[in-house]
């Protein structure tokens, strides 16, 4: 990852100009990271397209500042905290606007499901469809750079209190399963401040004076409360700050307007960092893991199995663990268990967090890839639905540490053992209705993938009028769900099969337009 050494937000024309100039001068702008229509009070022209430009060196920023006019009129009532995100307006006249070709911009939000399914329908196989979905949804390198930039901007604020702190991204920003538009999970790392115990053998002991708190949790809450207040009062572009300090994992939530990211800032959350590393490792072992996770996450979101609102829903994290477990349980396992990952670890990999052994191997070359498993993505997708459509959720716990089903230690509707804090359940929030909906949707999708009309793309349609097939058919509104999960079971299944028949009829009629109108 390239270090974000300097950034500048500027009007599009100016951005293009600066990047072009950079090719010849010391204003070495590397690339444009984002484009938005965000406008601040400082801008005279509202909704002018804006860009965030990344520069190669700090000197480029100094050179830029030396070359620019800094307005003499100060804004009234501005908080005297200067962000490193500078706004630059191009005051030059005309010639650059329609000169050479426009620079390329990366998209920072995902395409709509409608647009996605149009792309999917044009593919030749379900395997290609699944890869196509990942290609459209995954985070771009520019988007990840922008996320690191936002972390560093936030660090500038937190550093007012804790000069040695680091703000690290975790979750889907770094675990390789991030979808464009996903939230930015950040972790305020204060460990550098507490200092490590180093015995220098001199017989002298130095102790810093610190304030004692009643518990680690209360200290985390007060640190986040103060930083949250600071972000709210002084953070340029930070809006809608909510301090959610009584949650199991206290956090500060806010929107960072210049980047468009929804941010969650936590502290003292090392296990979550380690969980992100674990997911990253599993995703790296076999390309099929990422593809399958992207497809299942998208399928779950479309059918409201997951939600952006916290509640009794299955989370993306739990869903990903379900996929990993399924891949461990193949006749030819595709993924090692966590115990195997721990056993392969070097002494330097040892990691104990709050008494939990979180050790996993870091040298991935030590993991013998499960090359015996040659399942196609289509087969994996189909069997994922069959596996969970028939899974005994009522009595069984999912355990990726052992890679085996275990007896449930408690009576929650869904039990997925926390990978590192093994006495906890990561899906404790999920209620019985949500598990039923998940199972019903898995069954329906497994059934659909057995139908030849769904399995193969039908021939003889123009590229824009191909009926929904394969993965695209699975993303159509659900039959089981429309029938309502609260209704009597028999009635629901009856209705479900009627609706599936209707869906198949529409596929056979292959109008394409009828299916499209669902979205
Ligand atoms: P998105 O939905 O795309 O944001 O996925 P995400 O993986 O970033 O999930 P989320 O933002 O909900 O959580 C961020 C990270 O926190 C996850 O990747 C996990 O590492 C961790 N995490 C989330 N939920 C839990 C949980 O219930 N238990 C534990 N131990 N960690 C969790
Ligand atoms: Mg997240």
């Amino acid at each position: 990852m390239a270090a974000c050494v300097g950034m500048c937000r500027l009007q599009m024309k100016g951005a293009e100009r600066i990047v072009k100039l950079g090719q010849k001068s010391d204003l070495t702008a590397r690339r444009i990271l984002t484009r938005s229509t965000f406008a601040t009070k400082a801008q005279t022209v509202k909704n002018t397209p804006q860009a965030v430009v990344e520069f190669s060196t700090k000197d480029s920023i100094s050179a830029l500042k030396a070359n620019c006019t800094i307005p003499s009129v100060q804004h009234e009532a501005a908080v005297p905290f200067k962000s490193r995100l500078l706004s630059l307006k191009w005051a030059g006249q005309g010639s650059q606007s329609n000169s050479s070709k426009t620079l390329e911009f990366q998209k920072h939000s995902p395409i709509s499901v409608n647009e996605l399914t149009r792309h999917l329908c044009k593919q030749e196989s379900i395997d290609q469809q699944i890869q196509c979905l990942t290609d459209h949804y995954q985070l771009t390198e520019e988007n990840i750079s922008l996320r690191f930039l936002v972390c560093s901007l936030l660090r500038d604020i937190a550093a007012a209190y804790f000069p040695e702190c680091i703000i690290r991204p975790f979750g889907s920003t770094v675990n390789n399963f991030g979808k464009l538009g996903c939230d930015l999970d950040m972790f305020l790392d204060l460990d550098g401040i507490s200092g490590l115990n180093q015995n220098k053998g001199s017989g002298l002991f130095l102790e810093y004076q610190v304030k004692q708190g009643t518990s680690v949790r209360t200290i985390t809450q007060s640190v986040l409360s103060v930083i949250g207040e600071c972000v709210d009062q002084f953070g340029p572009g930070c809006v809608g700050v909510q301090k959610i300090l009584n949650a199991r994992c206290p956090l500060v939530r806010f929107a960072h307007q210049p980047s468009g990211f929804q941010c969650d800032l936590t502290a003292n959350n090392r296990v979550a960092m380690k969980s992100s590393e674990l997911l990253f490792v599993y995703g790296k072992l076999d390309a099929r893991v990422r593809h399958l996770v992207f497809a299942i996450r998208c399928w779950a979101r479309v059918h409201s199995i997951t939600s952006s609102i916290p509640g009794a829903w299955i989370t993306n994290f739990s869903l990903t663990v379900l996929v990993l477990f399924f891949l461990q349980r193949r006749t030819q396992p595709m993924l090692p268990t966590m115990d195997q990952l721990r056993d392969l670890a070097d002494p330097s990999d040892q990691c104990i967090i709050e008494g939990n052994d979180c050790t996993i191997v870091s040298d991935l070359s030590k993991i013998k890839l499960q090359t015996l498993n040659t399942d196609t993505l289509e087969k994996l997708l189909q069997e994922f639905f069959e596996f969970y459509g028939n899974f005994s959720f009522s009595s069984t716990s999912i355990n990726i540490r052992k890679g085996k089903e275990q007896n449930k230690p408690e009576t929650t509707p869904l039990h997925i053992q926390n990978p590192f804090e093994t006495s906890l359940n990561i899906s404790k929030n999920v209620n019985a209705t949500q598990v039923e909906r998940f199972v019903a949707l898995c069954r329906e999708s497994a059934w659909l993938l057995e139908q030849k009309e769904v399995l193969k793309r039908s021939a003889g349609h123009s590229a824009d009028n191909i009926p929904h097939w394969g993965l695209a058919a699975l993303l159509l509104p659900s039959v089981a769900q429309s029938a309502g999960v609260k209704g009597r079971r028999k009635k629901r299944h009856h209705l479900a099969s009627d609706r599936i028949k209707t869906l198949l009829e529409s596929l056979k009629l292959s109008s394409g337009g009828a299916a499209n109108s669902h979205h």
Side-chain angles (χ1 to χ4, degrees):
M1 174 75 48
C4 299
V5 291
M7 296 277 175
C8 188
R9 183 160 59 85
L10 53 160
Q11 288 179 6
M12 276 322 299
K13 284 179 185 170
E16 291 174 19
R17 177 91 180 174
I18 292 284
V19 173
K20 280 175 192 161
L21 263 177
Q23 285 148 14
K24 295 180 216 137
S25 70
D26 54 356
L27 294 176
T28 46
R30 290 181 69 228
R31 55 189 173 169
I32 294 183
L33 287 183
T34 181
R35 185 161 71 146
S36 71
T37 49
F38 172 72
T40 64
K41 272 191 186 164
Q43 288 153 5
T44 46
V45 189
K46 298 272 183 213
N47 294 330
T48 312
Q50 303 285 309
V52 174
V53 176
E54 182 188 53
F55 291 83
S56 304
T57 66
K58 278 188 180 164
D59 292 346
S60 311
I61 299 285
S62 315
L64 178 67
K65 278 164 75 181
N67 279 299
C68 290
T69 312
I70 297 172
S72 55
V73 184
Q74 291 296 316
H75 307 295
E76 279 172 38
V79 174
F81 175 88
K82 287 188 198 156
S83 162
R84 280 185 292 114
L85 201 62
L86 305 165
S87 276
L88 185 132
K89 278 201 294 184
W90 177 251
Q93 303 298 308
S95 71
Q96 81 282 7
S97 57
N98 26 358
S99 55
S100 51
K101 79 174 178 35
T102 314
L103 292 159
E104 281 196 15
F105 305 109
Q106 297 287 332
K107 281 190 51 155
H108 288 269
S109 51
I111 55 173
S112 68
V113 177
N114 242 337
E115 205 178 326
L116 176 74
T117 47
R118 271 200 295 279
H119 287 293
L120 297 183
C121 287
K122 290 181 198 163
Q123 304 301 313
E124 298 295 332
S125 66
I126 293 184
D127 275 53
Q128 276 183 17
Q129 287 187 324
I130 297 175
Q131 286 169 22
C132 170
L133 182 143
T134 312
D135 290 345
H136 278 102
Y137 273 2
Q138 68 192 344
L139 297 181
T140 58
E141 204 204 315
E142 284 77 7
N143 190 276
I144 296 173
S145 287
L146 196 58
R147 288 164 181 268
F148 275 83
L149 166 69
V150 174
C151 290
S152 83
L153 292 175
L154 208 66
R155 187 201 165 273
D156 291 346
I157 299 174
Y161 287 96
F162 305 108
E164 289 153 70
C165 74
I166 301 173
I167 297 211
R168 303 181 190 279
F170 70 100
S172 51
T173 296
V174 293
N175 68 15
N176 230 343
F177 298 114
K179 176 186 164 191
L180 282 171
C182 68
D183 67 355
L184 169 57
D185 301 297
M186 291 178 277
F187 162 65
L188 173 65
D189 186 350
L190 301 170
D191 282 9
I193 299 168
S194 6
L196 294 170
N197 251 348
Q198 285 178 346
N199 189 348
K200 301 268 169 64
S202 66
L204 292 169
F205 291 91
L206 250 184
E207 204 175 330
Y208 291 99
Q209 196 181 14
V210 288
K211 188 174 176 88
Q212 299 294 325
T214 45
S215 70
V216 175
R217 182 174 165 85
T218 54
I219 296 166
T220 304
Q221 285 170 325
S222 60
V223 166
L224 281 177
S225 175
V226 170
I227 302 295
E229 202 53 42
C230 217
V231 170
D232 192 16
Q233 303 285 332
F234 305 146
C238 300
V239 298
V241 180
Q242 283 172 276
K243 295 195 248 172
I244 309 169
L245 302 178
N246 287 325
R248 192 183 74 83
C249 181
L251 70 134
V252 175
R253 177 164 288 172
F254 61 94
H256 183 255
Q257 281 196 320
S259 62
F261 295 137
Q262 185 65 37
C263 303
D264 278 353
L265 175 67
T266 57
N268 190 33
N269 195 12
R270 284 211 163 264
V271 178
M273 294 281 296
K274 204 67 193 174
S275 312
S276 306
E277 184 186 333
L278 177 75
L279 262 46
F280 177 84
V281 167
Y282 274 126
K284 275 281 172 211
L285 293 181
D286 189 313
R288 290 173 293 178
V289 180
R290 270 187 88 222
H291 290 308
L292 196 62
V293 168
F294 268 92
I296 298 293
R297 279 188 175 205
C298 174
W299 167 86
R301 187 67 191 89
V302 165
H303 294 300
S304 307
I305 290 290
T306 52
S307 167
S308 53
I309 311 158
W313 294 274
I314 298 175
T315 61
N316 271 333
F317 182 57
S318 296
L319 196 63
T320 308
V321 175
L322 288 175
V323 176
L324 300 178
F325 183 72
F326 159 72
L327 295 174
Q328 289 175 334
R329 298 300 289 150
R330 309 292 298 147
T331 318
Q332 289 294 345
M334 233 178 85
L335 290 178
T337 66
M338 279 179 67
D339 276 349
Q340 288 167 330
L341 292 182
R342 182 202 53 210
D343 294 344
L344 289 168
D346 289 325
S348 60
D349 293 331
Q350 216 206 27
C351 173
I352 310 280
I353 303 170
E354 290 160 23
N356 298 296
D357 186 358
C358 301
T359 308
I360 52 169
V361 59
S362 60
D363 178 1
L364 302 193
S365 67
K366 288 174 106 181
I367 305 169
K368 296 276 166 295
L369 283 180
Q370 327 284 314
T371 43
L372 289 175
N373 182 306
T374 54
D375 293 339
T376 60
L377 287 170
E378 174 181 329
K379 188 173 160 84
L380 291 172
L381 186 70
Q382 188 155 19
E383 298 198 359
F384 172 88
F385 293 131
E386 278 168 24
F387 185 80
Y388 286 115
N390 297 304
F391 195 83
S392 162
F393 284 108
S394 56
S395 60
T396 313
S397 162
I398 283 145
N399 183 327
I400 60 166
R401 178 159 285 283
K402 303 269 172 240
K404 275 205 279 245
E405 287 88 356
Q406 311 248 284
N407 288 335
K408 251 190 197 178
E410 56 190 48
T411 57
T412 45
L414 179 60
H415 194 280
I416 305 175
Q417 193 194 58
N418 187 318
F420 292 117
E421 296 162 291
T422 51
S423 62
L424 302 178
N425 171 13
I426 60 166
S427 52
K428 209 182 166 116
N429 61 312
V430 179
N431 65 22
T433 310
Q434 295 307 319
V435 180
E436 271 186 40
R437 288 184 56 230
F438 176 67
V439 171
L441 274 160
C442 283
R443 287 184 184 166
E444 182 185 305
S445 295
W447 190 89
L448 278 171
L449 283 177
E450 281 166 11
Q451 310 311 307
K452 65 178 189 318
E453 296 85 351
V454 173
L455 267 182
K456 292 271 172 289
R457 174 180 157 171
S458 48
H461 297 275
S462 69
D464 292 324
N465 201 24
I466 305 166
H468 284 56
W469 70 279
L471 183 56
L474 301 187
L475 300 181
L476 285 171
S478 152
V479 175
Q481 236 188 88
S482 329
V485 280
K486 284 185 193 143
R488 288 188 304 268
R489 276 194 179 194
K490 272 188 185 164
K491 191 175 172 195
R492 188 177 82 228
H493 287 308
H494 175 68
L495 279 173
S497 47
D498 278 356
R499 292 283 307 265
I500 291 177
K501 269 186 217 147
T502 319
L503 173 60
L504 285 175
E505 286 306 318
S506 77
L507 287 168
K508 280 180 199 155
L509 287 173
S510 62
S511 66
N516 267 334
S517 67
H518 281 299
H519 280 283

